[in-house]
Amino acid sequence: MTDAIYPQVRIVSTRFLKPETAEQLLNRLIQVGGIRRMSINGPNLPATVPYGPARGQPNPHPDRKVIRVGDQDVQLQVQVGTIILELEDDSYIPGIEEAVDEVFADKGFSCTVQQGRYMKTKPTVSDYARYGPDADEKILGLVDPGKKGGPTIIQGTR
Amino acid sequence: MKVKGNMAYKPQYGPGTSKVAENRRKQMNPNQKLKKMRDVTDEDVVLILGHRAPGAAYPTAHPPLAEQQEPDCPIRKIVTPTEGAKAGDRVRYIQFTDSMFFAPCHPYQRTYTECYRFRGIDPGTLSGRQIVECRERDLEKYSKELINTELLDPARTGIRGATVHGHSLRLAENGMMFDMLQRSVLGEDGVVRYIKNQIGEPLDRAVDIGKPMDEEWLKANTTIFHSLGDSAYRDDKEYIEYVQRIHTLRTKYGFLPKE
């Protein structure tokens, strides 16, 4: 959960990103700093075929890759379409916009930075019913807290 | 299949004055030959479909019609069986997903087109995918036509038997429609190849289905109205008028009006 005092931005590109572009963008965003939490959204890329006659067979997908963000390896499980950020304060937003413009300058498609509220601030009754009283509040509302493997922590300079 | 010359009326296929409406009529009209865009072989089609191994005999659901006793039925005397029905083939399918970003065809359009052009088919239309079922031998013939002609664009159309998700999503960076199973891959040389069959099983060899069409061609040949990118539905007054007329008539009919 988050306190409502922290500003949030959403980065939406008009095309789905290749892992290389996502890696480049995320590393550039980290340089801006001031990011408390980050969530990468997009359609799922399952490791096995989820349904149909070939259900359960391995699903090799070239975009389901490990990328290097800061000092951490991140296993991509989605095709990156949207990045949600929670910032420490408003002063970082121009820097984020600049970073996005810089990365997408030569890509041939656009990307917008929106401000708003994209993360939950309070657990809902459904969350309680689904995940129980001990669900990890840090990731509730961003990903399924029941999923194995917690968040990736990228150390800042402070 | 040809429209009979001695029909009492001339079929119009659809309303509309826009380019999109014109493209729709062109695809539906069986007298109009569809433009051939690529050359996918019979074997390639069999590989993509994944129903039988190339070169294998067609498994059958019943003995050939010539070998079995047919009941005395007037309809059977009128209707000539298709090749597949004659041989007693199984019923198999092909399913397409068409991106909303100016794919050359879309589910309803596919069903209309197929019903006008092919015989012995059972199409199923859904919002994001369209499936057509028929006898295996006929299916391969029809599939080849659906793949080789202007009804398919290698990037914006997917041949997907299962996990079809992607028609309403943003395109990938390279212009391909999102596919969870990545059945088709855009190569370095700009050619799209199927590396899995339609249900997602890896193929022994990649099947080349040609280069994606450019944005200009897609916009000129699409059958999808798109207010943000190209011709908007509301700009086609005739289309709107026709749809509203049908809507009004249907609604009124629900109240069983007395003339």
Side-chain angles (χ1 to χ4, degrees):
Chain A
M1 292 300 103
T2 180
D3 270 328
I5 54 164
Y6 297 109
Q8 292 169 10
V9 294
R10 182 165 70 171
I11 300 168
V12 189
S13 58
T14 49
R15 294 260 171 123
F16 285 126
L17 303 182
K18 281 192 294 211
E20 296 76 35
T21 315
E23 189 173 26
Q24 189 193 351
L25 176 65
L26 293 178
N27 281 313
R28 183 66 186 77
L29 289 174
I30 284 170
Q31 283 173 20
V32 177
I35 299 168
R36 282 170 51 87
R37 288 192 300 166
M38 178 194 279
S39 168
I40 302 171
N41 288 141
N44 187 22
L45 300 176
T48 54
V49 178
Y51 36 81
R55 181 176 174 172
Q57 285 193 22
N59 175 32
H61 196 297
D63 289 352
R64 193 185 162 87
K65 258 191 194 171
V66 176
I67 58 171
R68 185 97 187 150
V69 183
D71 56 351
Q72 293 290 320
D73 284 332
V74 180
Q75 167 69 54
L76 280 183
Q77 296 173 13
V78 294
Q79 181 113 42
V80 183
T82 310
I83 298 167
I84 302 172
L85 305 173
E86 183 184 72
L87 304 173
E88 282 170 6
D89 58 65
D90 284 342
S91 64
Y92 293 101
I93 295 174
I96 300 266
E97 283 172 350
E98 197 184 311
V100 168
D101 288 346
E102 193 184 304
V103 171
F104 287 92
D106 58 345
K107 292 278 185 272
F109 57 92
S110 62
C111 184
T112 51
V113 179
Q114 301 164 327
Q115 275 187 64
R117 200 134 284 288
Y118 306 109
M119 295 178 184
K120 270 186 194 170
T121 50
K122 262 162 74 179
T124 60
V125 175
S126 307
D127 285 335
Y128 184 85
R130 213 176 283 160
Y131 309 119
D134 304 325
D136 185 355
E137 294 216 335
K138 282 200 292 296
I139 55 172
L140 202 62
L142 290 181
V143 289
D144 177 4
K147 214 170 183 178
K148 284 191 206 95
T152 304
I153 295 162
I154 297 163
Q155 291 292 338
T157 44
R158 279 189 296 165
Chain B
M1 197 162 66
K2 286 274 184 289
V3 173
K4 282 179 191 157
N6 58 358
M7 269 165 69
Y9 64 94
K10 198 164 161 279
Q12 295 178 345
Y13 300 107
T17 50
S18 58
K19 182 182 67 191
V20 172
E22 184 52 46
N23 290 338
R24 287 183 180 187
R25 283 193 290 269
K26 192 178 75 186
Q27 291 186 359
M28 281 189 267
N29 185 352
N31 294 325
Q32 183 112 24
K33 203 168 158 30
L34 291 172
K35 212 188 294 165
K36 194 165 185 288
M37 308 296 289
R38 55 194 72 80
D39 209 7
V40 175
T41 63
D42 289 340
E43 192 190 314
D44 291 346
V45 173
V46 172
L47 281 172
I48 294 176
L49 291 176
H51 297 311
R52 65 181 182 108
Y58 290 98
T60 53
H62 59 77
L65 291 184
E67 288 175 22
Q68 65 177 18
Q69 286 291 318
E70 288 268 65
D72 187 26
C73 166
I75 301 300
R76 290 182 200 227
K77 284 182 186 131
I78 302 169
V79 182
T80 341
T82 60
E83 286 307 310
K86 231 183 262 174
D89 287 353
R90 302 177 300 178
V91 172
R92 284 294 174 266
Y93 66 91
I94 186 168
Q95 184 166 254
F96 289 94
T97 307
D98 299 283
S99 172
M100 284 163 61
F101 289 99
F102 317 112
C105 208
H106 63 90
Y108 263 99
Q109 175 69 20
R110 276 187 190 282
T111 296
Y112 287 137
T113 304
E114 286 161 3
C115 286
Y116 279 119
R117 286 174 184 272
F118 304 145
R119 289 184 63 219
I121 55 161
D122 176 11
T125 323
L126 298 102
S127 57
R129 60 197 169 100
Q130 192 262 7
I131 186 167
V132 57
E133 294 178 12
C134 60
R135 303 287 189 146
E136 199 163 357
R137 210 167 301 224
D138 305 330
L139 176 74
E140 283 167 16
K141 196 175 87 192
Y142 299 155
S143 302
K144 196 174 171 192
E145 189 166 344
L146 292 170
I147 295 170
N148 274 335
T149 57
E150 54 187 307
L151 294 176
L152 181 131
D153 171 60
R156 312 283 170 102
T157 309
I159 305 166
R160 305 181 181 182
T163 50
V164 294
H165 187 51
H167 85 284
S168 62
L169 301 184
R170 282 168 277 174
L171 300 172
E173 250 180 79
N174 57 9
M176 295 287 285
M177 175 168 55
F178 174 77
D179 183 4
M180 195 184 266
L181 305 186
Q182 195 90 40
R183 277 158 272 226
S184 54
V185 180
L186 180 66
E188 293 284 315
D189 51 354
V191 174
V192 178
R193 290 183 183 84
Y194 270 80
I195 52 166
K196 296 180 184 173
N197 68 16
Q198 60 171 345
I199 58 162
E201 290 165 341
L203 292 173
D204 295 338
R205 65 169 175 87
V207 172
D208 181 337
I209 62 160
K211 291 188 176 180
M213 305 310 292
D214 57 30
E215 202 68 20
E216 203 182 333
W217 185 91
L218 287 168
K219 285 190 177 175
N221 287 277
T222 186
T223 52
I224 303 176
F225 287 109
H226 200 309
S227 60
L228 292 179
D230 202 41
S231 45
Y233 186 35
R234 65 185 64 176
D235 293 345
D236 193 336
K237 296 281 183 292
E238 191 181 300
Y239 223 118
I240 297 278
E241 190 190 328
Y242 174 82
V243 170
Q244 284 178 344
R245 181 179 140 76
I246 294 203
H247 176 72
T248 319
L249 291 178
R250 281 177 60 139
T251 312
K252 281 183 185 160
Y253 183 72
F255 294 105
L256 289 176
K258 288 201 171 71
E259 292 294 329

